[in-house]
């Protein structure tokens, strides 16, 4: 029997970071899946502190959502290399789902030769199993200073002979220059891979763009195949960086939730559903004034907890959070945020750093060499106060952390105990609540992505991920020129 041909590859490149690669790749995953094709996402190297747990380890959140959009089981091969920034000059390196300290210690340029075989093996394996692989690039393919160590853009496109789209954010201005400049800096053979330009985040009448697209095509030979209108609330979390809260909140505000935007924030995408809850006003807090009027304050995950504690103190947010809690305001800490709420961080292995905590829960965190990366079923106990609605609710979430947290021995001996609020398998404690009931800390990510949690806390439901993915596919099908998306996957 003849073997099936390898999957066709469609690659989304961008003129810059933030041009719209991630959401467009997600939309294409759902579009091609709706055509009855077996689809998988792929991004060779992702730099992000937004990660999700899959069977064999962790991958970037963007590829996790793209896999769901494609109807495929998320897999470490879909994002073989994940870089999780811990400082301005160092990242934790995750290869095929597992932390690799040896790769993290290598110089940036030297590392590419060591990871390239794993990247190509992952891509080739996906191509053997699927009909279409939708590939997301990173940054820009025209970063000529990095061309010799590229493992995520042109080198990948050449390996699989990908048909490429080049997307730019026209809202930033200079879109035609971005597109032409990127195309012009590519090696001549790679220019032929660019099958279409995409103008993203356009406001106004697209007819006013003329004659720009035709002039650009005359210069490059590449047509502009889509003009995508500005769309604030498509419902998909940003790949990295803070997502936009609703630009103009309408209706009655029942609850204002301030998420503290620390310098090493991680897994912030789990708060995206709060943007769609009726009556909830979500905002990001970077200073004490941003907590004014907040009903809830959330301390999110952190890729470097001790650094974020230092940042909180430098901003004066430690005092503002303590004052909020003292007045009975609700405080929620998730993962790194939970660790911050305790009395101390103890780091004998040099993983994160020693630091005093905020002292809002009588807990201490010990950092260990082994990293916990797993999906977990857990159940809330009998909670009181602000979080009483969660009592007895079960949830499926995920853990990604080095620290292990327990009651502070001295404070426990003195009778100052936190109530175990959330338990996992074998009654493993995964969350704690203070005696007053207003401060809650959890190790489990994914709280606001669970429909039962949203129903318990807010009495509301939000759009399902499937409806979000279908909306993305509808959007691109409406705005791409007829036949373009089919041509990208047609046999050469």
């Amino acid at each position: 029997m003849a073997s099936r041909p390898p999957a066709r590859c469609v690659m989304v490149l961008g003129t810059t970071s933030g041009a719209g690669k991630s959401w467009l790749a997600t939309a294409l995953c759902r579009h091609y899946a709706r055509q009855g094709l077996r689809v998988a996402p792929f991004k060779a190297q992702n730099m992000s502190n937004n990660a999700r747990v899959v069977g064999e380890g962790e991958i970037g959140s963007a590829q996790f959502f793209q896999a769901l959009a494609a109807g495929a089981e998320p897999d470490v091969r879909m994002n073989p290399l994940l870089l999780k920034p811990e400082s301005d000059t160092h990242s934790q390196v995750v290869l095929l789902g597992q932390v690799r300290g040896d790769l993290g210690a290598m110089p940036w340029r030297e590392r590419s030769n060591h990871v390239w075989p794993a990247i190509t093996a992952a891509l080739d394996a996906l191509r053997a199993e699927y009909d279409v692989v939708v590939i997301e690039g990173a940054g820009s393919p025209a970063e000529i200073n990095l061309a010799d160590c590229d493992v995520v853009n042109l080198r990948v496109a050449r390996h699989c002979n990908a048909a490429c789209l080049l997307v730019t954010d026209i809202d930033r201005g200079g879109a035609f220059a971005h597109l032409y400049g990127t195309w012009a800096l590519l090696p001549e053979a790679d220019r032929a891979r660019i099958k279409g330009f995409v103008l993203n985040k356009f406001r106004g009448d697209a007819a006013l763009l003329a004659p720009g697209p035709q002039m650009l095509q005359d210069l490059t030979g590449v047509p502009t195949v889509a003009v995508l209108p500005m769309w604030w609330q498509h419902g998909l979390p940003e790949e990295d960086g803070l997502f936009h809260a609703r630009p103009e909140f309408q209706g009655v505000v029942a609850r204002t939730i301030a998420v503290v935007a620390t310098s090493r924030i991680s897994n912030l995408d789990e708060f995206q559903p709060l943007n769609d809850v009726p009556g909830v006003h979500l905002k990001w807090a970077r200073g004490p004034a941003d907590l004014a009027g907040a009903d809830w304050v959330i301390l999110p995950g952190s890729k470097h907890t001790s650094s974020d504690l230092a940042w909180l103190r430098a901003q004066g947010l430690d005092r503002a959070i303590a004052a909020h809690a003292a007045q009975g305001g609700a405080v929620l800490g998730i993962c790194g945020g939970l660790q911050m709420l305790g009395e101390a961080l103890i780091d004998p292995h040099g993983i994160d750093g020693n630091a005093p905590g905020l002292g809002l829960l009588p807990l201490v965190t010990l950092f260990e060499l082994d990293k916990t990366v797993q999906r977990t079923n857990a159940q809330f106990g009998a909670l009181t106060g602000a979080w009483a609605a969660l009592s007895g609710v079960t949830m499926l979430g995920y853990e990604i952390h080095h620290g292990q947290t327990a009651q502070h021995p001295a404070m426990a001996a003195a009778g100052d105990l936190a109530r175990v609020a959330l338990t996992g398998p074998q009654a493993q404690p995964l969350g704690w609540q203070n005696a007053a009931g207003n401060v809650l800390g959890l190790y489990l990510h994914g709280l606001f992505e669970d429909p039962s949690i949203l129903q318990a806390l807010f009495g509301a439901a939000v759009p399902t991920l499937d409806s979000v993915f279908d909306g993305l596919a509808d959007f691109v099908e409406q705005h791409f020129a007829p036949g373009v998306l089919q041509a990208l996957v047609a046999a050469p």
Side-chain angles (χ1 to χ4, degrees):
M1 179 183 295
S3 61
R4 59 180 300 277
R8 294 285 293 139
C9 293
V10 177
M11 190 166 191
V12 181
L13 300 169
T15 57
T16 61
S17 295
K21 296 184 291 292
S22 294
W23 84 261
L24 180 54
T26 308
L28 294 180
C29 283
R30 177 49 63 99
H31 164 77
Y32 288 122
R34 295 203 302 196
Q35 312 311 306
L37 298 168
R38 293 173 297 174
V39 183
F42 183 80
K43 185 169 184 175
Q45 174 182 286
N46 199 343
M47 178 174 281
S48 177
N49 278 330
N50 289 340
R52 296 292 170 128
V53 175
V54 298
E56 308 89 342
E58 55 183 310
I59 62 173
S61 290
Q63 283 63 63
F64 180 86
F65 287 117
Q66 288 163 6
L68 298 183
E73 182 69 23
D75 182 326
V76 294
R77 297 174 301 174
M78 296 169 179
N79 175 209
L81 186 62
L82 175 62
L83 308 179
K84 306 185 77 172
E86 295 180 322
S87 70
D88 291 341
T89 58
H90 180 74
S91 294
Q92 184 181 72
V93 178
V94 180
L95 183 66
L96 293 173
Q98 303 300 313
V99 175
R100 288 286 299 272
D102 57 330
L103 294 175
M106 283 184 185
W108 175 280
R109 295 181 186 275
E110 181 182 338
R111 184 190 302 150
S112 61
N113 289 330
H114 290 267
V115 299
W116 181 246
I119 288 171
T120 55
L123 177 54
D124 292 345
L126 292 174
R127 293 189 71 198
E129 297 174 21
Y130 292 88
D131 301 316
V132 175
V133 178
V134 177
I135 303 173
E136 181 186 339
S140 163
E143 291 168 344
I144 54 179
N145 58 311
L146 301 176
D148 64 334
C149 58
D150 170 42
V151 295
V152 65
N153 288 312
L154 295 180
R155 198 173 179 185
V156 171
R158 294 167 191 150
H159 180 79
C160 61
N161 192 28
C164 300
L165 296 171
L166 182 61
V167 58
T168 193
D169 179 355
I170 195 171
D171 192 51
R172 297 184 179 187
F176 293 121
H178 285 166
L179 290 169
Y180 179 77
T182 301
W183 175 89
L185 284 173
L186 299 182
E188 187 170 353
D190 291 313
R191 293 175 185 173
R193 303 183 191 283
I194 307 298
K195 305 303 181 183
F197 294 139
V198 177
L199 296 170
N200 187 30
K201 301 182 184 177
F202 181 72
R203 307 172 192 250
D205 182 359
L208 298 177
L209 292 170
Q214 185 58 54
M215 294 173 68
L216 188 62
Q217 185 170 351
D218 292 342
L219 288 167
T220 64
V222 180
T224 296
V225 296
V227 177
L228 304 176
M230 176 68 75
W231 188 14
W232 288 103
Q233 290 300 109
H234 49 62
L236 188 71
E238 296 287 343
E239 180 186 20
D240 212 7
L242 304 183
F243 55 80
H244 294 286
R246 279 171 283 195
E248 293 183 8
F249 186 87
Q250 298 179 347
V252 177
V253 177
R255 187 173 289 119
T256 296
I257 300 176
V259 180
V260 180
T262 57
S263 58
R264 300 295 169 194
I265 189 171
S266 71
N267 296 82
L268 58 91
D269 53 328
E270 65 181 307
F271 303 114
Q272 172 70 40
L274 293 175
N275 245 349
D276 297 318
V277 175
V280 168
H281 178 207
L282 178 68
K283 64 178 182 176
W284 299 105
R286 297 178 177 85
D290 296 327
L291 300 188
D295 300 295
W296 293 3
V297 172
I298 298 179
L299 285 167
S302 170
K303 191 61 191 71
H304 206 269
T305 310
S306 62
S307 293
D308 275 343
L309 273 169
W311 180 87
L312 284 175
R313 292 187 166 101
Q315 310 307 313
L317 276 162
D318 57 331
R319 297 186 298 276
I321 294 168
H324 176 83
Q327 294 164 8
V331 178
L332 171 65
I334 298 176
C335 198
L338 156 67
Q339 296 168 352
M340 294 179 202
L341 291 175
E343 295 292 334
L345 308 178
I346 300 174
D347 183 11
H349 305 293
I351 293 168
D352 188 287
N354 300 296
L358 299 177
L360 296 181
L361 288 172
L363 306 172
V364 62
T365 295
L366 176 67
F367 287 96
E368 299 180 348
L369 288 173
D370 293 335
K371 187 177 186 180
T372 299
V373 179
Q374 61 189 19
R375 294 186 66 78
T376 304
N377 277 297
Q379 182 173 24
F380 286 95
L383 275 64
T384 61
W387 309 105
L390 294 176
S391 297
V393 178
T394 59
M395 67 170 287
L396 173 64
Y398 59 100
E399 298 177 66
I400 305 179
H401 56 91
H402 274 285
Q404 300 297 327
T405 300
Q407 297 275 356
H408 189 289
M411 301 184 77
D416 186 3
L417 295 172
R419 179 185 296 107
V420 174
L422 183 70
T423 54
Q426 289 79 52
Q428 174 193 5
L430 294 171
W432 294 265
Q433 184 182 36
N434 67 343
N438 62 317
V439 178
L440 177 67
L442 308 174
Y443 257 126
L444 217 54
H445 292 282
L447 185 72
F448 302 113
E449 296 174 332
D450 190 308
S452 61
I453 298 294
L454 294 176
Q455 187 64 41
L457 289 174
F458 307 108
V462 301
T464 65
L465 277 174
D466 262 342
S467 68
V468 169
F469 299 146
D470 280 331
L472 293 174
D474 291 342
F475 188 72
V476 298
E477 289 165 10
Q478 176 184 355
H479 293 290
F480 267 76
V484 168
L485 298 180
Q486 292 85 343
L488 292 173
V489 297

